């Protein structure tokens, strides 16, 4: 075979390899890597929708690909939930009666401030209407007069000790002690203050008071939470879902560890509450924050696991991944996928195990026009 013939044969083999590269077939074996309608040597989108990315641009864009591998992966469901206070790692401070707020020894705490259990957060001075205060003052005056009379009677009986029965002296002393106790109780309700204490160690999640503010009984003054512990309350219409949950995670806080506590036995607004305990060094969660919970079930689904960043949207708002079909050519392939955990998705339709899928830099390729 002459040198010219060998060169022609080699060129045909190279062209065949380019057009039948391993990553160019769809899930049903269809050929995806068709002939581009126009050559391209720079960074550009070709008329057929594929993208040409030179090697130097691929390095700058940190384009990484992996070969798709079929496997069985746990099924997942996405649940809507919200963050609530863990009753064993926090507490709520309410006003025991109507009163006026006064700062404690260290002033009024602010949200985010660390507190210790038993620490004085504020002081509450009772307030009452004019009629109620007048009645209390009148009662206080009567009790003072009764105390003076009782003290005089005790003194007289003590001087006659030995001539009067001992039981009369004891009764007089008991009556005096009762009057003094009633007097102190009424005085505290009129003039005294009550210390508002922290119910647990943690940080102030919310503070609803200002110095001099008048609050009503049962008004919420402070919420105290442990920054390393919280509860996530999700809801689902499937009453048997909790028994099928293996693990769960939070896409908004991947570092948080979720532990299934259990599910309720009573529907709330047509859904069953499922409770998870979130723990970690520092949880980036706030009480009342709406979150999505990815619950991994004990059942499995067949598909191809990929990093979540491999999924992008095309101009038609379809979910696609980018397949590398040659040294510099990338093709957008529509797929069906579901989340596997906070970082991973599983493609159930649209990919073939021989495809090389872009797992890093897919968003940058998707922006090339």
């Amino acid at each position: 075979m002459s040198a010219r013939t060998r060169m022609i044969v080699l060129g045909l083999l190279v062209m065949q390899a380019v057009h039948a590269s391993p990553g160019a077939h769809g899930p049903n074996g269809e050929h995806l890597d068709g002939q581009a309608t126009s050559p391209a040597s720079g960074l550009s989108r070709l008329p057929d929708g594929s993208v040409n990315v030179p090697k130097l641009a691929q390095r700058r864009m940190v384009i990484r690909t992996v070969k798709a591998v079929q496997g069985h992966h746990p099924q997942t469901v996405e649940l809507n939930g919200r963050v609530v206070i863990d009753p064993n790692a926090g507490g709520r401070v309410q006003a025991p009666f109507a009163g006026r707020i006064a700062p404690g020894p260290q002033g009024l705490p602010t949200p985010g401030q660390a507190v210790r259990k038993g620490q004085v957060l504020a002081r509450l001075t009772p307030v009452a209407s004019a009629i109620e205060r007048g009645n209390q003052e009148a009662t206080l005056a009567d009790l003072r007069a009764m105390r003076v009379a009782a003290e005089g009677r005790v003194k007289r009986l003590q001087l006659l000790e030995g001539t009067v029965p001992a039981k009369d002296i004891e009764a007089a002393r008991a009556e005096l002690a009762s009057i003094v106790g009633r007097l102190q109780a009424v005085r505290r309700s009129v003039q005294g203050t009550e210390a508002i204490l922290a119910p647990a160690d943690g940080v102030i999640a919310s503070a609803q008071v200002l110095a001099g503010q008048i609050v009503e009984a049962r008004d919420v003054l402070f919420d105290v939470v442990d920054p390393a512990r919280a509860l996530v309350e999700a809801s689902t219409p499937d009453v048997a879902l909790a028994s099928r949950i293996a693990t769960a995670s939070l896409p908004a806080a991947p570092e948080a560890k979720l532990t299934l506590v259990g599910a309720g036995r009573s529907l709330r607004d047509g859904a069953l509450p499922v409770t998870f305990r979130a723990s970690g060094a520092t949880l980036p969660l706030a009480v009342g924050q709406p979150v999505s919970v990815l619950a991994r079930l004990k059942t499995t689904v067949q598909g191809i696991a990929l990093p979540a960043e491999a999924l992008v949207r095309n101009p038609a708002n379809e979910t696609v991944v980018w397949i590398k079909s040659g040294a510099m050519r990338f093709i957008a392939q529509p797929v069906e996928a579901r989340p596997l955990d906070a970082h991973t998705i599983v493609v159930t339709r649209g990919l073939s195990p021989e495809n090389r899928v872009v797992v890093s830099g897919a968003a940058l390729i998707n922006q090339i026009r």
Side-chain angles (χ1 to χ4, degrees):
M1 183 181 294
S2 64
R4 179 182 178 85
T5 305
R6 285 199 299 269
M7 292 180 63
I8 293 175
V9 172
L10 180 62
L12 291 174
L13 291 175
V14 170
M15 291 180 63
Q16 182 179 4
V18 170
H19 292 296
S21 54
H25 293 85
N28 299 319
E30 65 272 21
H31 200 69
L32 300 176
D33 192 9
Q35 177 68 34
T37 56
S38 64
S41 58
L43 192 68
S44 62
R45 185 177 289 267
L46 303 179
D48 64 351
S50 61
V51 173
N52 187 81
V53 185
K55 285 293 185 179
L56 181 58
Q58 293 182 35
R59 288 193 291 270
R60 290 175 176 174
M61 297 163 64
V62 195
I63 304 300
R64 298 289 183 268
T65 63
V66 296
K67 188 174 181 179
V69 178
Q70 193 81 243
H72 288 83
H73 308 279
Q75 284 186 316
T76 58
V77 293
E78 186 172 359
L79 306 175
N80 295 324
R82 63 186 183 91
V83 181
V84 297
I85 298 177
D86 187 342
N88 297 311
R92 175 164 292 168
V93 182
Q94 295 179 270
F97 50 79
R100 181 180 288 105
I101 296 294
Q106 301 176 3
L108 293 174
T110 57
Q113 180 178 334
V115 295
R116 303 291 296 176
K117 183 177 181 179
Q119 177 180 333
V120 178
L121 304 180
R123 295 191 181 277
L124 189 63
T125 303
V127 295
S129 65
I131 295 177
E132 291 176 346
R133 191 172 183 85
N135 292 335
Q136 291 173 341
E137 293 288 355
T139 302
L140 192 61
D142 291 341
L143 290 173
R144 287 184 183 133
M146 293 170 63
R147 183 189 64 180
V148 172
E151 288 175 347
R153 186 167 182 269
V154 170
K155 289 179 180 180
R156 289 192 301 270
L157 290 175
Q158 287 176 345
L159 293 175
L160 298 174
E161 189 174 1
T163 60
V164 297
K167 64 178 183 179
D168 292 344
I169 299 177
E170 293 176 358
R173 288 173 178 171
E175 183 180 1
L176 175 60
S178 175
I179 293 173
V180 171
R182 291 164 58 191
L183 181 63
Q184 291 175 350
V186 175
R187 184 184 290 119
R188 282 196 300 268
S189 67
V190 176
Q191 303 172 351
T193 61
E194 180 163 338
I196 304 299
L197 307 179
D201 296 340
V203 299
I204 300 295
S206 64
Q208 312 290 337
V209 298
L210 295 172
Q213 179 181 349
I214 295 179
V215 296
E216 297 295 331
R218 301 181 181 178
D219 282 354
V220 177
L221 307 182
F222 304 99
D223 281 334
V224 180
V225 299
D226 187 340
R229 294 177 60 183
L231 290 182
V232 176
E233 189 178 271
S235 59
T236 174
D238 186 355
V239 295
L241 179 66
S243 61
R244 305 200 309 272
I245 294 178
T247 60
S249 60
L250 290 175
E255 64 276 16
K257 179 182 179 182
L258 288 188
T259 304
L260 177 64
V261 176
R265 290 297 180 267
S266 176
L267 295 180
R268 183 189 304 166
D269 297 329
L272 191 72
V274 182
T275 305
F276 300 88
R277 177 172 286 110
S279 58
T282 301
L283 297 177
L285 301 173
V287 176
Q289 174 185 348
V291 293
S292 293
V293 179
L294 284 180
R296 182 178 294 186
L297 307 182
K298 299 175 183 178
T299 54
T300 61
V301 61
Q302 186 174 1
I304 298 171
L306 296 171
E309 60 181 322
L311 286 184
V312 291
R313 296 275 183 176
N314 65 6
N317 202 33
E318 295 177 319
T319 302
V320 300
V321 296
W322 285 93
I323 299 174
K324 188 173 185 179
S325 64
M328 297 186 296
R329 192 176 179 199
F330 297 84
I331 300 174
Q333 177 67 12
V335 296
E336 293 182 8
R338 62 175 62 184
L340 190 60
D341 56 35
H343 304 279
T344 314
I345 55 95
V346 57
V347 176
T348 55
R349 293 184 61 185
L351 281 182
S352 172
E354 68 175 7
N355 297 142
R356 294 202 65 85
V357 184
V358 177
V359 295
S360 175
L364 297 177
I365 295 178
N366 201 53
Q367 296 175 18
I368 298 175
R369 295 291 183 265

